[in-house]
Amino acid sequence: MRSLAMEPRIPKVYDVKAVESKWQKAWEDLGVYRFDRSDRTRPTFSIDTPPPYPSGELHVGNALNFVYIDFVARYKRMRGYNVFFPQGWDCHGLPTEVRVEKTTGKRKSDFQPEEFLRLCREYTLKWIEEMRKDLKALGLSIDWSTEYMTMDPDYWRRTQYSFVVMYKKGLVYRAEHPVIWCPRCETAIAEAEVEYVSTSKLLYYVKFRVKETGEDLVIATTRPELLPSCVAVLVHPDDRRYTGLVGKHAVVPLFEREVPILADEGVDPNFGTGVVMVCTYGDKSDVRWQKKYSLPVVISIDDHGVMNENAGFLKGLKVEEARRRVAEELRERGLLVKVESISTTVGTCWRCHTPVEILPKKQWFVKSKELAGKVLEEARKVRWIPDYMYKRLENWVLSLDWDWVISRQRLFATPIPVYYCEDCGAELVVSEDKLPIDPRFDPPPFDRCPRCGSRRLRGERDVMDTWMDSSITAAVHAGWPDAMDERLFPADLQPNGYDIIRTWDYYLILRGVALFGKSQFKEALINGMVRGTDGRMMHKSYGNYVAVREVLEKYGADSFRLWVALAAATGQDVRFSWEGVDYAHRFLVKVWNAARLASAYLTGEKALSLEELGAAELRPIDHWILGELSRTISSVTRHLEEYNFQQAAQELVEFTWHKLCDHYLEAIKYRLSSGDKAAYSTLYTVLLKTLQMLSVFAPHLAEEIYSLVFKDREGWPSITVSPWPQPPAYDEKATEVGALAVALIAEARRAKHDARLPLSARVKTLHVYAGDRAELVKTLAEDLRGTLRIDEVVVHAQGEGQRKVPEFPEISISLEV
Ligand SMILES: [Zn+2]
Ligand SMILES: [Zn+2]
């Protein structure tokens, strides 16, 4: 028989690096992922991509987030959507300032502010450059023409504009209020920026004196250094031990100040001695009680975490030193009853892990408490994937005690567009048309104070929380505040990790409600975290950190992407696994080799489409693979609609590897080499549709094979923008016969294997004991002979062979060598 095979168009070795970088460049040159603004025919699908923080290196967690987004973008594009996949950078923030300080070995205060800001911008650009490379190397279908940075003047303008609009609506205000303060970073921080860590602390039992009776009153506290700030003593109203004392006064030891003894339901009678001291401010309950009982405020800690003049003999000591010193003093005077160790949680700064303090400060706030109800109402309209993620947002919103403090005492951030009158104190908010502005350096855009006529105006020194920048991304993507493209807003998809539900998702909805009366996104796709190979959170200090770049260097993007899809269900944590990436790689090599084999036949001659060929020409095994493909397409489509990447990828791999490569391709090789049109057309269709689906997960490989084998005939500029495959037609009845053929071939191959024969070895006779299916099996004889290199197939209606066919236990076979 003359073989029709030609030299395969696909090279023997799959050169991952060359293939991937070639297509990354080509896709950009072709502009296939550009959002087409002028296209009014296709429906749009807009994604509010998280602008990463420019740390200089893409974290595997970021990479997973972006790969998920890319799965969606690629799938939607193939479904006919005009997809908007923008890219931004969330530049500002404490970490950059800290890093610039570290890199230069100087403190921020050692620089002129302008010089420090210039350095922050310069480093940020450098770090972005590195991360941009990583994002491109992942093969993400980002529309790079949309790239923006929150430190750009144009982005400043938008952030400041949003501030002004909210100020005019009465949703932003300036007031003195206790705020959470990081003494290391010397700035206010939001509740979302506090990290609670478990720790053990000493609990000091301190003797107070009741003024009226002279008796001792013992109070347990972890913060005796706050005695100088003690303004009241509280007990529970039902606590019999102390009912007689309510209304009397306690004398604070060492400081000899008299404070009232009050009864309050909020006191836990089981903690310590059941008596608490209210200090301004030890924690949030102190803030509540101070307000409730109009207690005086005595601040004894300054902005740097050092005791001030109100602390008497503790003045000048750092908080921890003061704690030791005051304990010594109490012990010496016999005022310390006992000390015990307890486990508790301490609020720390998310950036520098210093324990935070509560200090009253004049700051800018967003009225987040007032908007909480509406925020939850809008959040419930969002489709959360997985749906239990909504609960996390709800719990967070309900746990918030205070308004969102949005001013920061830092440098590298969007300035607050406000000036103050030095004479009457008026707040002059800059009008929208004068933005962007930097009141720290720019002259005021007002001649004089509109209230008192003074010309002595001073610019605001404080800047904004970076979440003020990144909580308007969806609106900015749509062009706000200039020309809002309504098709893009609210965004169709908000994809992020569960770790930022309480920040990014929350702030976006809050600002959406404040500015537009609705959420800024319709669906929230929430991903899990990537853990180290040891199962712990990935962290450089744990030694379990894996850089994306390392994975890309070793395996390329497609293997990593496919691993991401296969590794865990959407929303669940993923443990990083080199074996997992390697498995994905081996699968892709399998596809490459299968396509290479097929490419020896599929090129050169014009194939008839299945429709042209007609179903009558197909063999049962062709129907079988078409049936399996059809089921796989329906199922993968359903899973992708549900953002269930794991199931989609698993079923696609299972089909491709085990049905297409292991069974079908093996079974039709002999037909291909003899020029069988049905085998040729079926393989063409099945391989192409499989690659189309695979292009969501492994776009480079799919594109390379497509370009070498299919592009001439199909004509799409890229397989990644081809129309999503439809399930092919097939004959259901014939697929059952095809399944029987596949099972028989598989069992006969196992028999060959067990007889230590190579698969290519010729065998004399295969006996099939098929019972009442004997006639049916006879129709498959040619497939069995051709595939298994068997001279003769004998089908028996009676008797039993040596080996049962597992899928059809009533049928058995024997091999005669
Ligand atoms: Zn800090
Ligand atoms: Zn004035």
Side-chain angles (χ1 to χ4, degrees):
M1 192 196 322
R2 185 177 66 94
S3 170
L4 293 176
M6 306 176 307
E7 187 55 33
R9 279 211 200 172
I10 295 179
K12 199 172 168 87
V13 176
Y14 170 32
D15 184 345
V16 177
K17 266 196 190 145
V19 166
E20 293 196 346
S21 60
K22 175 177 81 181
W23 288 114
Q24 283 154 20
K25 192 175 174 311
W27 290 327
E28 234 182 296
D29 293 346
L30 286 168
V32 280
Y33 305 137
R34 287 276 177 93
F35 174 70
D36 186 349
R37 286 186 194 277
S38 62
D39 181 353
R40 296 269 155 185
T41 53
R42 281 181 298 164
T44 57
F45 188 83
S46 62
I47 305 172
D48 185 23
T49 48
Y53 176 73
S55 62
E57 185 178 285
L58 200 70
H59 187 276
V60 199
N62 283 139
L64 173 124
N65 180 216
F66 269 91
V67 165
Y68 272 10
I69 299 171
D70 195 54
F71 294 157
V72 180
R74 289 183 179 279
Y75 171 68
K76 292 287 177 185
R77 236 177 250 118
M78 293 177 79
R79 295 294 302 198
Y81 287 88
N82 189 6
V83 172
F84 185 67
F85 186 172
Q87 179 59 41
W89 301 97
D90 190 12
C91 304
H92 295 127
L94 228 50
T96 302
E97 292 192 13
V98 173
R99 232 170 122 189
V100 168
E101 285 180 326
K102 245 190 185 157
T103 314
T104 57
K106 292 198 237 174
R107 288 302 301 261
K108 181 179 68 163
S109 48
D110 300 335
F111 293 95
Q112 287 297 317
E114 289 91 334
E115 173 63 6
F116 188 73
L117 285 175
R118 194 188 60 75
L119 282 173
C120 287
R121 284 198 194 96
E122 202 178 289
Y123 280 110
T124 299
L125 285 176
K126 219 163 69 188
W127 294 327
I128 286 177
E129 174 96 33
E130 289 304 304
M131 292 175 79
R132 197 187 282 125
K133 275 187 215 153
D134 288 346
L135 289 179
K136 289 191 176 181
L138 278 171
L140 304 175
S141 57
I142 288 169
D143 177 353
W144 285 97
S145 71
T146 61
E147 196 176 1
Y148 66 91
M149 300 177 196
T150 57
M151 65 179 183
D152 289 342
D154 184 61
Y155 202 95
W156 272 21
R157 174 176 68 88
R158 296 169 200 263
T159 303
Q160 291 182 332
Y161 190 101
S162 71
F163 175 94
V164 174
V165 170
M166 282 174 62
Y167 180 84
K168 288 184 175 169
K169 287 187 174 185
L171 294 171
V172 163
Y173 66 94
R174 185 169 183 252
E176 180 165 308
H177 186 275
V179 293
I180 300 167
W181 184 268
C182 174
R184 155 69 187 73
C185 302
E186 290 176 27
T187 182
I189 60 175
E191 286 174 281
E193 292 168 302
V194 179
E195 264 175 25
Y196 289 91
V197 294
S198 307
T199 180
S200 70
K201 283 191 95 173
L202 295 176
L203 186 63
Y204 300 84
Y205 287 75
V206 180
K207 269 188 208 166
F208 282 51
R209 197 177 72 244
V210 179
K211 181 194 154 200
E212 287 82 354
T213 65
E215 65 192 284
D216 286 342
L217 180 61
V218 178
I219 294 179
T221 175
T222 56
R223 302 205 58 184
E225 76 279 12
L226 285 176
L227 282 174
S229 290
C230 176
V231 289
V233 164
L234 301 188
V235 295
H236 193 276
D238 301 335
D239 193 336
R240 297 245 174 106
R241 292 172 292 178
Y242 305 115
T243 34
L245 297 179
V246 176
K248 297 192 165 63
H249 293 82
V251 181
V252 180
L254 305 180
F255 296 88
E256 298 302 316
R257 208 186 26 256
E258 287 172 19
V259 298
I261 302 173
L262 307 168
D264 190 281
E265 301 269 351
V267 175
D268 175 5
N270 298 315
F271 180 78
T273 59
V275 190
V276 295
M277 62 174 188
V278 178
C279 304
T280 47
Y281 296 98
D283 58 25
K284 282 182 178 173
S285 336
D286 289 337
V287 177
R288 222 162 29 238
W289 283 323
Q290 184 276 327
K291 222 178 197 166
K292 186 168 170 187
Y293 298 111
S294 304
L295 299 167
V297 175
V298 182
I299 300 296
S300 53
I301 299 174
D302 73 8
D303 292 0
H304 319 288
V306 174
M307 307 306 291
N308 67 15
E309 59 284 351
N310 289 332
F313 69 102
L314 301 174
K315 187 184 170 197
L317 297 180
K318 291 213 149 210
V319 168
E320 261 117 72
E321 293 163 0
R323 189 172 307 150
R324 280 193 295 275
R325 179 79 186 82
V326 84
E328 271 166 35
E329 195 68 25
L330 289 166
R331 188 174 287 123
E332 269 172 33
R333 302 209 189 179
L335 295 169
L336 191 60
V337 179
K338 62 172 175 174
V339 180
E340 56 186 37
S341 181
I342 57 161
S343 49
T344 180
T345 55
V346 172
T348 64
C349 168
W350 70 281
R351 179 62 217 163
C352 71
H353 309 297
T354 305
V356 294
E357 297 291 347
I358 295 175
L359 297 175
K361 292 278 170 192
K362 201 144 204 190
Q363 300 282 348
W364 286 94
F365 296 89
V366 163
K367 283 194 183 160
S368 51
K369 290 293 286 174
E370 188 181 305
L371 296 172
K374 181 83 174 136
V375 163
L376 288 180
E377 195 184 315
E378 287 303 308
R380 278 191 293 271
K381 293 181 194 162
V382 170
R383 178 185 170 212
W384 296 83
I385 304 148
D387 56 5
Y388 59 83
M389 293 295 182
Y390 163 73
K391 205 69 199 160
R392 296 199 183 198
L393 180 96
E394 185 185 271
N395 290 342
W396 174 249
V397 174
L398 296 178
S399 79
L400 289 170
D401 293 309
W402 299 341
D403 277 344
W404 175 20
V405 54
I406 55 165
S407 44
R408 295 288 181 276
Q409 293 66 50
R410 303 297 300 183
L411 278 175
F412 188 45
T414 307
I416 296 176
V418 173
Y419 290 78
Y420 301 100
C421 172
E422 300 258 48
D423 289 315
C424 75
E427 288 160 7
L428 309 180
V429 174
V430 178
S431 66
E432 290 93 325
D433 58 325
K434 300 282 194 317
L435 305 174
I437 197 161
D438 192 341
R440 297 171 298 178
F441 309 114
D442 297 340
F446 312 91
D447 280 347
R448 53 183 71 232
C449 170
R451 201 203 281 170
C452 74
S454 166
R455 286 182 186 277
R456 299 202 313 131
L457 304 177
R458 163 178 69 81
E460 171 65 271
R461 307 294 305 168
D462 286 359
V463 291
M464 284 190 237
D465 180 358
T466 57
W467 287 108
M468 282 294 279
D469 301 337
S470 44
S471 57
I472 52 170
T473 44
V476 169
H477 294 150
W480 186 83
D482 309 325
M484 185 89 145
D485 189 335
E486 297 294 338
R487 297 174 300 171
L488 301 179
F489 191 83
D492 292 295
L493 191 70
Q494 175 68 27
N496 56 263
Y498 64 66
D499 56 328
I500 53 172
I501 290 176
R502 64 179 203 171
T503 46
W504 203 34
D505 292 327
Y506 166 61
Y507 288 138
L508 270 162
I509 299 176
L510 174 68
R511 299 261 273 147
V513 165
L515 292 164
F516 312 103
K518 59 185 171 189
S519 166
Q520 294 188 68
F521 52 89
K522 296 175 194 162
E523 290 187 329
L525 173 62
I526 307 297
N527 63 267
M529 302 293 111
V530 181
R531 292 172 177 270
T533 45
D534 56 0
R536 293 196 294 171
M537 279 301 176
M538 209 181 259
H539 207 278
K540 277 188 174 153
S541 64
Y542 296 164
N544 65 358
Y545 181 85
V546 179
V548 183
R549 199 164 286 180
E550 192 187 341
V551 186
L552 294 179
E553 281 289 320
K554 266 197 185 131
Y555 284 100
D558 282 352
S559 299
F560 175 75
R561 296 168 56 104
L562 186 58
W563 167 74
V564 165
L566 290 169
T570 305
Q572 277 176 2
D573 284 356
V574 185
R575 184 187 285 216
F576 182 79
S577 154
W578 285 108
E579 294 78 24
V581 181
D582 191 65
Y583 170 86
H585 173 72
R586 278 184 285 126
F587 167 73
L588 295 175
V589 170
K590 180 90 189 170
V591 174
W592 178 269
N593 290 336
R596 178 167 189 271
L597 183 133
S599 77
Y601 304 99
L602 292 186
T603 44
E605 187 186 335
K606 192 173 181 299
L608 288 174
S609 71
L610 285 172
E611 290 76 27
E612 289 164 328
L613 192 71
E617 296 288 322
L618 300 181
R619 303 252 188 111
I621 199 162
D622 302 328
H623 284 290
W624 171 77
I625 194 70
L626 289 169
E628 293 293 331
L629 172 68
S630 181
R631 266 190 291 283
T632 306
I633 292 178
S634 304
S635 176
V636 168
T637 306
R638 196 176 66 245
H639 292 312
L640 287 177
E641 286 292 332
E642 296 293 319
Y643 303 110
N644 188 349
F645 310 119
Q646 189 184 32
Q647 285 284 353
Q650 263 171 9
E651 291 186 24
L652 184 55
V653 168
E654 167 67 24
F655 167 80
T656 311
W657 198 326
H658 301 299
K659 295 189 171 136
L660 174 57
C661 298
D662 286 352
H663 289 310
Y664 185 69
L665 208 50
E666 291 300 328
I668 62 161
K669 269 183 196 167
Y670 82 98
R671 287 166 63 196
L672 289 172
S673 54
S674 64
D676 181 310
K677 284 196 166 60
Y680 183 102
S681 295
T682 307
L683 178 60
Y684 184 97
T685 299
V686 174
L687 186 57
L688 179 60
K689 285 180 189 277
T690 303
L691 288 170
Q692 284 179 281
M693 286 188 280
L694 191 61
S695 78
V696 167
F697 303 106
H700 309 85
L701 176 103
E703 189 80 297
E704 178 73 1
I705 298 174
Y706 166 75
S707 78
L708 294 171
V709 182
F710 300 96
K711 194 174 179 180
D712 289 347
R713 185 181 157 102
E714 301 301 330
W716 308 311
S718 160
I719 192 173
T720 64
V721 292
S722 65
W724 186 250
Q726 293 302 309
Y730 62 95
D731 178 345
E732 183 68 46
K733 242 189 145 51
T735 64
E736 288 161 26
V737 184
L740 177 57
V742 169
L744 283 169
I745 291 169
E747 192 51 33
R749 288 174 77 191
R750 280 192 288 270
K752 251 179 146 175
H753 179 264
D754 292 349
R756 297 174 189 280
L757 289 171
L759 286 178
S760 56
R762 289 217 77 87
V763 174
K764 215 171 122 203
T765 313
L766 173 71
H767 295 277
V768 182
Y769 301 86
D772 50 14
R773 297 204 209 194
E775 287 311 307
L776 199 58
V777 172
K778 280 178 189 161
T779 66
L780 303 173
E782 195 188 331
D783 280 324
L784 297 174
R785 269 199 308 273
T787 306
L788 295 158
R789 301 177 71 86
I790 293 170
D791 293 336
E792 193 188 6
V793 173
V794 183
V795 183
H796 308 264
Q798 310 284 326
E800 200 171 316
Q802 287 155 348
R803 306 174 69 102
K804 276 193 171 155
V805 178
E807 295 86 348
F808 298 86
E810 67 283 7
I811 299 177
S812 56
I813 62 165
S814 289
L815 209 58
E816 201 179 307
V817 182

